[in-house]
Amino acid sequence: MIDYRAHASAFEGVRKSLAAESWGDPAMTAARDETLADVALAPDHALLGAFVDHLFTHAVSDGTEIALLERSSALWGQGLELYELLGSARKDLESALANPGNPASADLFNGAAMDSQRLAQGMHALQASIFSLRDDIAAQPHLPDHPRQLDEPASNWDWGNFHLARRTDAFARTLADRADDPATRAFAFGALTAYGGNACGSAYVGHVVGGPRRAHRFRDRLARNTLGSWIAAHDASIESLATMSQRLQFGAASAPTLPAAVETLIQHALSGTFDLTHTQPVPDLQLGYRRLVRHLELLDDFVRPSLPDMPMPVFTAKLFGDPANPPPTIRPQDATVTGDTGGGVSVGTNTPGEPTPGKDDSKKTSGSVCGAILALLILFAILLVVAFIKCVIEWADGKKCNYFEELGDLITGLFKKDEPDPRDPPTSENPGMSSAGLTAFAGTDQAVQLVGYLWDMQIQLWEALENSYSYLAATGLIYPDGLLELPLYEQFTAIPGAGGWPHRPAADSGGSYHLYPTSPLENPTETPSPFPSKATPNVFAAGQDRRAATPAGVALPVWEQIARGDLDSPNLDLDADRGFQHQCWSTGGSIDDDPLNVVVLGYDEH
Amino acid sequence: MTPQPPEQGPEGQGDDREPVDLRPYLCIPYWSAPRFAGDTPDSGQLRPLPGDVVSWLCPGIHASPYTPGAKLEVTVDVRNSGRGNAAVVASVVVYWVDPTVGFSKPTLLGATVASVPPRGGRATTPTVSGVIPATAPDHICLVALVTHPLDNPGTVIDPVGDRHWAQLNLVRVKAAAGIPVQLAFLAVNPFAHEAIFEIDVHRMEMDVLKQLALSLKAEPSDVRVHVRLLDDRAGHERDAAARLALDAGGRRVFNLTVDVAGELAPEQMTAVEVVLRSDERREPVGSLGVVIQGAER
């Protein structure tokens, strides 16, 4: 099963390939023209068809993934707001300090002080929600076990997994057969491109993962999302996920609804393809549709912030003018604390990392570091802001404030304790700096120090957001957009060299999915894909070469057969569970048997 | 090379019970592609710089043509070989200095930030620009610093020995036939204590000169050069080497004269390198290059 962007790419590849086809048979040409006209007339229905597998998956889901993403998105938005607030407070504060004689500067300074307190309060208020979310994501409940791997009989499988592994070709044909107007025909064509996209894309994913989705669900999700990011980075025609979401919204904007004709088409295609007395009940397609639309929308919420502005030139010159006296930092230099195993520490001389996936890439490391950085940052913010407000009276007298002077030592001492004591957030208090006081303070070293500390804090906040983004990507909740060069994701963008396939599930799949599996092979072994070593995702995503293992290569022969009224194609397993072009199969015995008894199903069987 | 399925190391790469040091490991790279089979791009680990790397011509610093009194624009490449999976915000600071073979009083040109991914990630900074005063000499050096609160440089400007620092000389002179090239420079003690130094001036070896010529889009010339050093304090001329004692942060002016024994065509170049070594460190503590090109006819 591939992601939204790969499906969008597959759709476009198959459509272009169909448009380029020619036959001597006028009936075929007319059929082609009708399909292309349908897609042009109802492109959004076609896109919805291309996401039919995701529609089913959302319909049978318990809603965990959307719920986690909703919480993540909300916290991400609040984090961005605080980041912007700090940027704005810095700007005002620097402006006031650079122009202390300006009558408006004292108010600007006091406003910045108030904003800083709001910042520390806001960060403190978010802390519990962030840690709770991190812990809830850590178990990755959004990626449940595959029923085949649990030895469940197919009749017990949810429709998300069932429709990818049973009568797949037949379902695509039945959709096309029952579609009777441009919109439903466009939907059916989209579903056919999804058939081709999944058959090829899943083979690529399974190859780079080291085994099929059912055995490596965490690693599969990481690879699937990576491919989506890769495709978006290499194909400018791929729309944003938010745009896709907009396109899929039918009916009232406030309550998008799966078009009745499409819902009916799917229902008829299911009953025409499967014996529904031997399956789970057909899920609520409207619910799946609403989640699909929302999921696409949420995925685009995670926009990384721009970097913090440098301090104003006058302060930059003071902070960096003498390399022998670097700007002060409020980060402890000898140790940072995590409170979690697997978290980040920094003791002694640092060393370079490895360019290959390793323990740096584990979910646990990401989560611990994410939490540790946040905990540090919140404490820094509270201590700094408290010091800031406490010192205003002395600063206004042109004096050096000892409390501020000792801030570095205080913080270092604090973090020698694992974990540091929590601190209450500051109260809101207008420091009441006067114009005369500001003038007295503006020229002091501590004014420059304050500017430097706040700049350092905004950098830390940027890095905390970056760590959160990294954690959400590493747990498969969001796309790793912008992270593709990191070893964790880069491993999925080139086919590995020869090696046995598929691997059985790893003993600790939740803790080691960032690594290529070294678990025993599942016999009989198979060839995962026809893709050569080093091949990048465009080997299947380009999709227009119908002779190759591309979506067009799989989908167009089926389209032709539908148009001619022929039936001579197998049902392909759309997870490429036993390799490319493997047919739908059932387990003759247990999934843990060695060798596995792979029973290829007849065309009509499920 | 065909990529192989990655394998877990004997120590178990998946073992996340042990903590991971996630501080950045920054450098301004002196080479971005392997220099020979088996080499890796510059991660900053190989410091002091190896002998075949020209310490005063870091290709990671990109500068617009320099004219005193005009705006100079600089961008800097940064590499982060640290661990983890999240980018850090690196600060990059650019200074300019009068030609020296040790840098004690740099002037800030500008500073900026760049986000740099770990594990060998690279970034190029936004443009840092500034106007170097019209009173500045025709020949200056740029030194750039990359830093992060959790990956700090030493307090000595040391492009040879400290991965956080890099140097780019903007010293290029045209040599007319029969007219010696003259250049004043400062020998500066970068240490916080008195030390004995040796200045060595020599024409660059041909193999290094060839690399340099390639980057400058010029032809290397094997023309002979004769160098002379005039020590301002001693008031007499020396050969191409000198020993001197300098107090902490101490400095001494030298005048360098280069006689080119022959004629350089406009497209040809040679280069003279001034290297300052201390008795306590075998590797240079500073260096300065003078690229000499043939004058237009």
Side-chain angles (χ1 to χ4, degrees):
Chain A
M1 182 177 174
I2 55 177
D3 81 294
Y4 299 115
R5 288 156 164 173
H7 271 313
S9 170
F11 170 81
E12 196 52 21
V14 178
R15 189 194 66 77
K16 284 181 179 168
S17 187
L18 176 64
E21 283 291 338
S22 60
W23 299 268
D25 181 352
M28 292 298 290
T29 304
R32 180 199 66 186
D33 292 348
E34 182 184 66
T35 296
L36 294 175
D38 291 339
V39 168
L41 203 62
D44 301 338
H45 285 77
L47 184 66
L48 182 60
F51 295 163
V52 66
D53 51 352
H54 289 268
L55 179 68
F56 277 112
T57 302
H58 283 300
V60 299
S61 152
D62 62 1
T64 298
E65 178 152 12
I66 298 289
L68 289 175
L69 211 50
E70 291 277 11
R71 287 166 64 194
S72 304
S73 170
L75 286 172
W76 180 260
Q78 288 169 293
L80 287 183
E81 278 178 24
L82 291 175
Y83 179 79
E84 297 299 333
L85 177 64
L86 178 53
S88 150
R90 279 187 53 217
K91 194 173 168 188
D92 288 349
L93 182 100
E94 290 177 23
S95 177
L97 289 172
N99 306 286
N102 186 320
S105 288
D107 284 346
L108 213 52
F109 180 93
N110 291 324
M114 297 288 283
D115 283 346
S116 301
Q117 292 169 89
R118 279 176 46 218
L119 169 79
Q121 290 161 0
M123 288 170 67
H124 185 269
L126 284 184
Q127 185 168 4
S129 303
I130 292 172
F131 285 176
S132 157
L133 174 63
R134 180 199 62 173
D135 294 344
D136 290 347
I137 289 173
Q140 294 177 278
H142 53 292
L143 298 173
D145 283 307
H146 192 293
R148 193 200 295 268
Q149 200 62 37
L150 299 175
D151 275 337
E152 292 281 351
S155 56
N156 284 354
W157 292 16
D158 63 81
W159 276 94
N161 288 305
F162 186 77
H163 93 284
L164 292 168
R166 292 292 187 276
R167 301 215 73 205
T168 52
D169 176 275
F171 180 62
R173 286 171 180 267
T174 312
L175 279 172
D177 183 55
R178 304 293 165 91
D180 57 4
D181 63 10
T184 49
R185 286 197 299 265
F187 178 88
F189 180 73
L192 179 61
T193 70
Y195 178 77
N198 273 329
C200 304
S202 294
Y204 188 96
V205 171
H207 202 157
V208 295
V209 163
R213 180 172 67 93
R214 68 168 156 87
H216 304 273
R217 64 191 195 275
F218 304 121
R219 191 167 162 80
D220 174 275
R221 172 58 74 90
L222 211 53
R224 182 178 108 180
N225 285 352
T226 301
L227 262 58
S229 289
W230 192 97
I231 288 168
H234 289 80
D235 182 354
S237 72
I238 298 295
E239 296 169 311
S240 74
L241 298 162
T243 302
M244 291 184 197
S245 176
Q246 286 286 334
R247 284 184 53 192
L248 296 189
Q249 292 182 27
F250 301 97
S254 57
T257 309
L258 180 65
V262 171
E263 186 175 8
T264 303
L265 173 67
I266 297 172
Q267 299 276 10
H268 287 174
L270 289 174
S271 58
T273 307
F274 301 101
D275 175 359
L276 297 181
T277 63
H278 288 85
T279 66
Q280 290 294 297
V282 173
D284 182 345
L285 296 173
Q286 287 290 351
L287 174 64
Y289 164 78
R290 288 194 298 275
R291 285 179 176 158
L292 168 65
V293 168
R294 183 66 182 142
H295 190 223
L296 285 162
E297 196 172 39
L298 286 168
L299 285 170
D300 249 7
D301 281 352
F302 298 88
V303 178
R304 294 146 90 194
S306 54
L307 289 170
D309 288 333
M310 289 297 295
M312 289 172 68
V314 61
F315 298 109
T316 296
K318 288 177 179 170
L319 289 165
F320 289 106
D322 179 5
N325 291 296
T329 177
I330 45 175
R331 301 198 212 193
Q333 296 300 297
D334 53 352
T336 60
V337 68
T338 67
D340 291 313
T341 53
V345 296
S346 52
V347 180
T349 306
N350 49 351
T351 52
E354 294 297 322
T356 50
K359 69 179 179 182
D360 301 28
D361 303 302
S362 81
K363 171 185 67 184
K364 190 165 185 178
T365 295
S366 295
S368 300
V369 169
C370 177
I373 287 176
L374 188 75
L376 289 170
L377 180 57
I378 291 169
L379 276 166
F380 290 160
I382 292 170
L383 292 167
L384 175 59
V385 170
V386 167
F388 179 3
I389 304 303
K390 269 188 178 178
C391 286
V392 165
I393 293 170
E394 287 178 73
W395 284 341
D397 288 338
K399 294 178 183 167
K400 187 180 267 191
C401 176
N402 288 336
Y403 193 82
F404 199 75
E405 188 78 5
E406 292 160 3
L407 195 56
D409 292 341
L410 174 67
I411 287 171
T412 302
L414 198 64
F415 290 105
K416 283 181 177 163
K417 193 172 166 190
D418 185 6
E419 302 175 0
D421 294 331
R423 297 284 168 131
D424 291 331
T427 53
S428 293
E429 183 183 342
N430 187 327
M433 177 69 96
S434 64
S435 284
L438 184 63
T439 303
F441 174 52
T444 65
D445 288 346
Q446 286 197 336
V448 178
Q449 205 171 353
L450 177 61
V451 168
Y453 281 167
L454 288 172
W455 178 63
D456 188 10
M457 173 146 296
Q458 201 182 8
I459 287 177
Q460 288 188 61
L461 189 45
W462 189 96
E463 290 178 350
L465 287 165
E466 185 71 3
N467 273 280
S468 305
Y469 184 87
S470 170
Y471 180 63
L472 293 174
T475 50
L477 268 177
I478 65 170
Y479 282 91
D481 291 349
L483 305 178
L484 292 177
E485 290 181 5
L486 290 168
L488 177 58
Y489 306 103
E490 195 178 36
Q491 63 177 316
F492 300 121
T493 60
I495 293 287
W501 193 93
H503 285 269
R504 288 187 177 275
D508 174 25
S509 59
S512 63
Y513 68 87
H514 53 291
L515 302 170
Y516 193 88
T518 53
S519 48
L521 293 172
E522 182 181 82
N523 293 306
T525 57
E526 294 282 358
T527 301
S529 81
F531 306 128
S533 172
K534 296 187 194 176
T536 54
N538 63 330
V539 72
F540 80 86
Q544 288 185 55
D545 183 355
R546 61 172 297 177
R547 292 163 302 179
T550 64
V554 172
L556 281 189
V558 179
W559 182 91
E560 276 188 23
Q561 288 200 9
I562 293 170
R564 293 185 196 280
D566 295 340
L567 174 51
D568 181 24
S569 56
N571 293 305
L572 298 181
D573 186 306
L574 296 187
D575 276 318
D577 190 291
R578 303 286 304 163
F580 178 59
Q581 286 191 320
H582 197 283
Q583 296 181 40
C584 294
W585 64 283
S586 68
T587 315
S590 168
I591 196 74
D592 297 321
D593 288 348
D594 188 11
L596 184 62
N597 185 6
V598 177
V599 180
V600 174
L601 296 168
Y603 190 81
D604 295 329
E605 286 185 280
H606 67 83
Chain B
M1 191 175 75
T2 301
Q4 297 299 313
E7 292 182 359
Q8 290 188 40
E11 301 303 318
Q13 293 174 28
D15 183 358
D16 58 6
R17 286 167 296 180
E18 294 299 319
V20 174
D21 183 343
L22 293 169
R23 287 174 295 177
Y25 190 91
L26 300 166
C27 79
I28 299 172
Y30 267 83
W31 62 96
S32 53
R35 295 163 300 150
F36 49 82
D39 191 26
T40 54
D42 184 13
S43 68
Q45 236 183 340
L46 206 53
R47 296 292 186 279
L49 289 167
D52 62 336
V53 174
V54 182
S55 65
W56 44 268
L57 203 68
C58 178
I61 304 175
H62 314 274
S64 60
Y66 165 62
T67 307
K71 187 161 85 171
L72 184 68
E73 295 188 326
V74 180
T75 61
V76 179
D77 297 337
V78 178
R79 186 180 167 103
N80 176 12
S81 301
R83 295 165 182 273
N85 264 319
V88 297
V89 180
S91 300
V92 176
V93 195
V94 181
Y95 302 91
W96 68 273
V97 288
D98 274 0
T100 65
V101 283
F103 310 98
S104 66
K105 294 285 180 193
T107 305
L108 180 72
L109 183 77
T112 188
V113 287
S115 67
V116 203
R119 316 282 281 285
R122 289 182 62 136
T124 299
T125 66
T127 301
V128 172
S129 63
V131 176
I132 295 174
T135 52
D138 289 339
H139 319 304
I140 61 167
C141 295
L142 293 179
V143 284
L145 164 71
V146 60
T147 180
H148 182 276
L150 295 177
D151 185 30
N152 291 302
T155 52
V156 174
I157 301 176
D158 184 6
V160 177
D162 185 341
R163 61 186 160 82
H164 300 89
W165 287 99
Q167 176 185 356
L168 176 68
N169 278 21
L170 301 180
V171 182
R172 234 190 271 195
V173 295
K174 304 282 186 186
I179 301 175
V181 172
Q182 294 189 311
L183 178 76
F185 66 88
L186 289 166
V188 179
N189 176 3
F191 303 126
H193 55 81
E194 184 187 10
I196 306 291
F197 296 91
E198 182 173 303
I199 297 175
D200 171 35
V201 187
H202 57 268
R203 197 195 74 166
M204 297 197 73
E205 298 293 336
M206 184 48 84
D207 54 343
V208 183
L209 198 60
K210 282 179 181 170
Q211 288 179 35
L212 186 59
L214 207 58
S215 67
L216 297 174
K217 295 178 180 156
E219 284 180 18
S221 167
D222 59 359
V223 65
R224 287 177 51 227
V225 297
H226 179 237
V227 293
R228 288 170 288 153
L229 272 179
L230 179 64
D231 181 340
D232 257 14
R233 184 179 297 181
H236 61 75
E237 211 168 73
R238 296 167 182 261
D239 287 334
R243 281 180 68 79
L244 66 158
L246 291 170
D247 295 335
R251 49 178 55 201
R252 193 180 302 178
V253 177
F254 285 84
N255 288 291
L256 172 67
T257 303
V258 183
D259 294 303
V260 179
E263 193 170 342
L264 283 171
E267 69 278 9
Q268 287 185 312
M269 55 83 72
T270 186
V272 168
E273 187 175 47
V274 182
V275 179
L276 182 70
R277 287 190 174 82
S278 76
D279 277 6
E280 60 194 72
R281 193 170 99 178
R282 187 175 166 276
E283 295 77 18
V285 294
S287 61
L288 170 75
V290 182
V291 174
I292 303 167
Q293 289 181 292
E296 302 287 340
R297 293 172 184 140

